[in-house]
Amino acid sequence: MALRTTRVSWRYPTPESPERKVSQQAPIPSPTPSSSTVPSAQARPSPQIQNESAFQQNSGYGMPAQLTPRASPTAPIPSAKPAVMIPDLPVKSERKEYESFPEVDAQIEANAGSLSKKRKREEYEKDGRAIAFNIDQREKADAAVQALFDELENLCEAEIAIQAAGSGEVPRAAAHYFSLETIEGIDVPVVLPHEQDKVESVIQKVLSAGRILNIPVEMLMGAQKIFSNVVNVANATGLSIGSEWTDSDIEEWSHRIESVHHGLQASRIILKVMAGCSEEKQLQSESLVKSVLDILRHSLDTCVIPMVEARSTGPHSHAFAIFLKQRKDLTVLVRALSRSLKALGEFLSKVDVDESAVTSVEALTHDLIFAENAPNEKDSVVGIKTFEDLRRAAMDVVARVFASYPAQRSVIITDILTSLGRLPVSRQNARHFKMADSKPIQLVSALIMQLVQTSASSSSTAVQGKHNKSSKEDGHSTESGDETSEDDEPLQLQLRRAAFQSEQDIDVDVDAETAVEALRSVAHPKYESARANTQIVVQYLVHRGMTATKSGDQPYRNLLDIFTEDFMSVLGSPDWPAADLLLQVLMQNLLAIMQKNSSVPAQNMALDLMGLLGSGIFTLEDHIRSTQRSLDVSQSEIASSLVSITDEILDDNANELDVFSFDGPFRVALEFLQSKGSGEAQLRSARGFQIIHWAESVLAAYDRVRSIEDQNLDQFRPLAANLRKMVRDPQWLETE
């Protein structure tokens, strides 16, 4: 209707239009059907005539039936029809009548100069590819959900068919999916390995797409029951070896290894489902968690740890020979155990479990971490690296428990320190933890640094929130830095602290003191928690080292040297920022020994370690200078700024605000860590510790500047506000 009754002039505005005579309102012709001829190229009419011709042609088209108003049979049909009137342009358009927008013009010119036509076309094509990629990903996710649904439905139907048969045999329709195994005289259906492989693969795709909740909860519960049978069969399978085994016994033992491997795979599926559906309480079964922990403990105690501690010579040489014959199967088993531990760590960081389960996890990871690996490849059944990967998985589980369950932190640290005597004192045998950019260190050294970093890191998990909430309800603080009573604080400071606890960010327009105190309220307790845990570790090592000698039976004096060397080797690495805090606290303890007129052996130990620290610091300075010389200041403003700041720091003439600025070295380190990904718990802890270290450094600088009169404190305001956002949300910088 609008097309048929609209009259639009084909004319475009110009800065100045010639005058012409126009009618104020042209008559609207009656809508009678007519045909219009197309003008020839030789005599093409003007745009105005073309518009009139199009209007005449449009008026001939009838109105669609569904849009025609329903009229009464007796109602008269009006002769006039509604019309949309668009007035013509003014007779004359002057340039002065146009409004100028310099900001918009400047932005358009800047954008036009930044991208060539080719670049613009490439950007457009890139956007198109991104849209196509999203559509493709959605289709793949839908296909994965459907595939998982079909697989679980087939398994459930096959299980029902077995139960209906009730003859102790698997019906033909279910033989592709199940076999029958006996547990305590009862036949239970067990999923066949090829079907379990298929389910694990497709369930991982669904989890990666974040679509696990599209599967009905009842179906997932049925799947948990099906795979729990596999775990129970594995728990009932013995892996201990006999002293007088024949070749047939060893062959039969290899089948039992495959059964346990099958059970570990089923445990991973169960853990992934529970972690992916952490809000579905129906899926969080304590009995299932216990079964999973039982198979982990069973495989460690009866097979993995005895295999790792066996040697080619000595009292366990016969067992070593048997293990070596099944090296391939055992390697597969150890790798399956590593993947199960990773799934367990992910589960524990998302689901709150009872204290008995947490204690069981701590015990099995503790035994695995302190198991002595082979000193060389000759005495290792599965290879040194394969077992170290397993111990690293156990270390990540401990770090996740440490982060998610604050009440267990003191227990974890105490267990680690009291077990240090089991570590090898030979530097070659002790250091198997491979580093990307430095020499290997002890795994326990890496674990201690990660725990210190985790103490200062913010956790976004629901488990941490639940435990923090329960701690507050019980009246206990989870941070060691919160020991000061609020009754001892001024009323104004108490009100300010209460205001800072709100979920809204402090606005950048507040004064510098308010912004800094807001930062202090969220950052300082975390730093104090990390420092308190560092004190516990260092004081224990120093105290035990003072009471032992390098030639004595107790290994603590040698271990203190090894730990110090390990921390020095990663000093300056963005991945391990806790090394700096550990060495600072160590130096303070050594200076205290010298100042207290301690015994001569204690002072000699302190002098040895202080010399080691001084040598390491000089080595680090030489490395920094050589790296600085290799930087090309013309590469970017960041490189030029880093070179300048490095010169000032090495000359002890640095401006603190340049060092701690929002675009300074700390941000460079954080963005470097972000570029390495956020999947590993160790990298997340390093990022969190770097943020807290940055915030604490800014707070110390502010206190020093505030003590000096006539100093401008406003320069701290935006930096403190941004750091507070990063402390509360470590991912904030990525979206800034």
Side-chain angles (χ1 to χ4, degrees):
M1 183 180 71
L3 176 67
R4 188 166 58 84
T5 58
T6 303
R7 178 173 177 269
V8 183
S9 296
W10 289 27
R11 190 163 177 272
Y12 300 91
T14 58
E16 186 172 351
S17 303
E19 295 183 3
R20 63 180 178 86
K21 294 181 179 180
V22 295
S23 59
Q24 295 299 322
Q25 180 172 343
I28 301 176
S30 59
T32 57
S34 63
S35 61
S36 299
T37 58
V38 180
S40 63
Q42 289 82 3
R44 188 178 300 276
S46 65
Q48 182 70 20
I49 297 175
Q50 287 183 349
N51 188 44
E52 295 292 344
S53 177
F55 174 78
Q56 292 290 342
Q57 182 177 354
N58 294 339
S59 65
Y61 296 113
M63 187 179 300
Q66 64 270 24
L67 299 180
T68 305
R70 183 176 298 176
S72 172
T74 60
I77 301 175
S79 58
K81 297 196 175 186
V84 179
M85 303 301 300
I86 300 178
D88 290 338
L89 290 173
V91 176
K92 188 175 182 180
S93 299
E94 299 293 342
R95 184 179 295 273
K96 63 183 180 181
E97 297 177 3
Y98 289 85
E99 187 175 354
S100 177
F101 296 93
E103 300 85 358
V104 177
D105 294 339
Q107 183 177 0
I108 293 174
E109 292 177 0
N111 293 336
S114 61
L115 290 178
S116 64
K117 292 182 178 180
K118 180 179 179 182
R119 290 282 302 280
K120 290 179 180 178
R121 184 170 65 252
E122 290 176 350
E123 291 293 329
Y124 176 79
E125 292 174 353
K126 181 179 179 180
D127 292 340
R129 288 193 298 268
I131 295 173
F133 176 77
N134 290 335
I135 295 175
D136 182 60
Q137 289 295 100
R138 191 181 307 116
E139 292 176 350
K140 289 182 178 179
D142 292 340
V145 171
Q146 186 62 46
L148 179 58
F149 184 89
D150 293 341
E151 286 293 330
L152 296 183
E153 187 177 41
N154 292 336
L155 288 175
C156 292
E157 291 177 353
E159 186 188 31
I160 293 174
I162 294 175
Q163 293 175 352
S167 59
E169 296 182 357
V170 179
R172 173 178 289 184
H176 180 73
Y177 301 98
F178 288 97
S179 64
L180 289 179
E181 299 289 343
T182 302
I183 303 178
E184 297 180 353
I186 301 175
D187 291 335
V188 295
V190 175
V191 184
L192 294 175
H194 69 274
E195 274 301 313
Q196 190 163 281
D197 291 340
K198 190 183 300 183
V199 171
E200 184 183 24
S201 175
V202 71
I203 205 171
Q204 184 59 50
K205 292 179 182 178
V206 174
L207 288 169
S208 299
R211 300 282 296 276
I212 187 64
L213 296 179
N214 291 115
I215 305 297
V217 175
E218 294 77 11
M219 182 171 285
L220 293 175
M221 292 176 64
Q224 284 185 332
K225 178 179 177 297
I226 289 172
F227 290 109
S228 66
N229 290 337
V230 185
V231 175
N232 292 334
V233 169
N235 276 325
T237 303
L239 290 181
S240 300
I241 60 176
S243 58
E244 298 180 356
W245 272 9
T246 62
D247 291 341
S248 60
D249 294 328
I250 297 175
E251 182 66 23
E252 192 271 335
W253 181 61
S254 67
H255 295 303
R256 282 186 272 157
I257 295 175
E258 292 178 2
S259 176
V260 174
H261 169 249
H262 196 197
L264 289 172
Q265 186 183 36
S267 71
R268 283 200 305 275
I269 295 175
I270 293 172
L271 290 171
K272 288 178 180 179
V273 169
M274 289 194 290
C277 305
S278 57
E279 298 300 324
E280 296 291 343
K281 300 303 180 184
Q282 298 167 296
L283 297 173
Q284 314 305 325
S285 169
E286 292 184 4
S287 61
L288 274 179
V289 174
K290 183 178 182 303
S291 297
V292 169
L293 295 179
D294 286 344
I295 190 175
L296 295 175
R297 167 60 71 182
H298 174 64
S299 57
L300 283 175
D301 289 347
T302 62
C303 182
V304 175
I305 291 181
M307 174 198 66
V308 170
E309 294 181 345
R311 299 292 179 262
S312 58
T313 58
H316 301 293
S317 59
H318 177 71
F320 181 85
I322 295 176
F323 287 128
L324 200 59
K325 290 182 179 180
Q326 300 298 329
R327 179 173 188 172
K328 183 177 180 180
D329 291 338
L330 290 172
T331 302
V332 173
L333 180 68
V334 171
R335 289 173 178 169
L337 184 57
S338 297
R339 292 193 292 270
S340 295
L341 285 175
K342 291 178 182 178
L344 177 63
E346 186 70 19
F347 165 73
L348 291 173
S349 65
K350 293 183 178 180
V351 180
D352 189 9
V353 299
D354 58 18
E355 186 176 353
S356 62
V358 176
T359 303
S360 298
V361 171
E362 293 173 0
L364 70 90
T365 53
H366 177 272
D367 293 344
L368 188 54
I369 289 172
F370 286 95
E372 185 174 356
N373 199 355
N376 51 64
E377 293 291 343
K378 178 183 176 182
D379 285 331
S380 177
V381 175
V382 297
I384 293 176
K385 183 181 182 303
T386 301
F387 183 68
E388 286 302 317
D389 290 341
L390 176 61
R391 293 212 300 175
R392 187 159 189 168
M395 183 186 83
D396 290 340
V397 172
V398 173
R400 286 180 181 270
V401 172
F402 191 87
S404 302
Y405 299 85
Q408 299 293 321
R409 292 183 177 180
S410 60
V411 177
I412 292 174
I413 292 178
T414 301
D415 287 345
I416 291 173
L417 294 178
T418 54
S419 301
L420 292 180
R422 297 167 56 183
L423 293 175
V425 295
S426 170
R427 286 169 170 77
Q428 181 180 359
N429 297 345
R431 293 180 170 128
H432 292 303
F433 189 87
K434 302 291 184 182
M435 308 293 290
D437 50 1
S438 63
K439 60 184 181 181
I441 63 174
Q442 290 184 119
L443 180 132
V444 178
S445 299
L447 176 59
I448 289 174
M449 288 188 288
Q450 186 168 345
L451 296 184
V452 170
Q453 292 169 183
T454 303
S455 302
S457 302
S458 297
S459 176
S460 60
T461 62
V463 176
Q464 171 97 12
K466 292 177 183 177
H467 284 277
N468 286 345
K469 181 178 179 181
S470 63
S471 298
K472 291 177 182 178
E473 292 174 352
D474 296 339
H476 300 293
S477 173
T478 59
E479 301 289 353
S480 60
D482 293 339
E483 296 177 356
T484 303
S485 173
E486 292 187 356
D487 296 336
D488 299 334
E489 297 176 345
L491 177 61
Q492 183 179 4
L493 183 57
Q494 292 185 31
L495 295 176
R496 181 176 295 169
R497 285 185 180 276
F500 293 158
Q501 299 304 317
S502 64
E503 293 299 325
Q504 298 180 353
D505 287 322
I506 298 299
D507 193 275
V508 294
D509 294 332
V510 300
D511 60 276
E513 182 180 3
T514 303
V516 170
E517 290 302 324
L519 173 63
R520 194 188 306 275
S521 68
V522 296
H524 189 65
K526 295 180 182 294
Y527 180 80
E528 287 300 313
S529 175
R531 188 173 183 86
N533 289 330
T534 302
Q535 282 281 10
I536 293 173
V537 173
V538 172
Q539 288 179 356
Y540 183 89
L541 291 173
V542 171
H543 175 72
R544 295 305 299 265
M546 290 172 57
T547 59
T549 61
K550 290 188 177 182
S551 58
D553 296 334
Q554 295 181 325
Y556 292 99
R557 180 64 184 88
N558 288 325
L559 285 175
L560 181 57
D561 287 347
I562 294 175
F563 277 112
T564 304
E565 292 169 358
D566 287 347
F567 298 151
M568 288 299 306
S569 67
V570 298
L571 181 62
S573 171
D575 293 6
W576 304 98
D580 179 44
L581 180 59
L582 284 159
L583 292 174
Q584 283 186 32
V585 175
L586 176 61
M587 178 62 78
Q588 292 171 0
N589 279 265
L590 297 178
L591 290 174
I593 291 174
M594 298 300 298
Q595 294 170 358
K596 290 180 180 178
N597 296 323
S598 302
S599 63
V600 174
Q603 291 185 0
N604 289 338
M605 180 197 73
L607 289 174
D608 289 344
L609 292 174
M610 291 169 68
L612 183 62
L613 291 175
S615 174
I617 292 173
F618 280 120
T619 302
L620 179 62
E621 286 189 0
D622 290 340
H623 174 70
I624 292 174
R625 292 184 187 276
S626 63
T627 304
Q628 178 197 27
R629 288 192 294 267
S630 65
L631 282 177
D632 184 2
V633 295
S634 63
Q635 288 180 350
S636 64
E637 294 182 2
I638 294 178
S640 177
S641 174
L642 289 177
V643 169
S644 175
I645 292 175
T646 303
D647 280 333
E648 294 174 353
I649 291 175
L650 294 176
D651 294 339
D652 199 16
N653 191 30
N655 184 351
E656 288 186 325
L657 288 178
D658 291 339
V659 177
F660 305 140
S661 66
F662 187 64
D663 296 323
F666 277 96
R667 180 168 182 173
V668 173
L670 284 174
E671 292 183 348
F672 169 75
L673 291 173
Q674 289 173 359
S675 67
K676 300 178 72 171
S678 58
E680 293 187 12
Q682 186 270 321
L683 290 176
R684 290 196 299 270
S685 70
R687 248 192 345 262
F689 188 90
Q690 290 278 20
I691 294 171
I692 297 301
H693 185 200
W694 188 1
E696 191 67 18
S697 301
V698 170
L699 293 174
Y702 173 83
D703 293 339
R704 287 191 293 269
V705 173
R706 187 177 59 175
S707 63
I708 304 174
E709 296 182 359
D710 300 330
Q711 292 293 321
N712 181 19
L713 299 177
D714 288 339
Q715 51 197 342
F716 287 93
R717 177 172 48 83
L719 178 58
N722 288 333
L723 281 172
R724 184 175 185 270
K725 294 175 183 177
M726 283 190 284
V727 171
R728 297 173 67 92
D729 179 14
Q731 306 298 325
W732 176 82
L733 186 60
E734 298 181 12
T735 59
E736 187 268 332

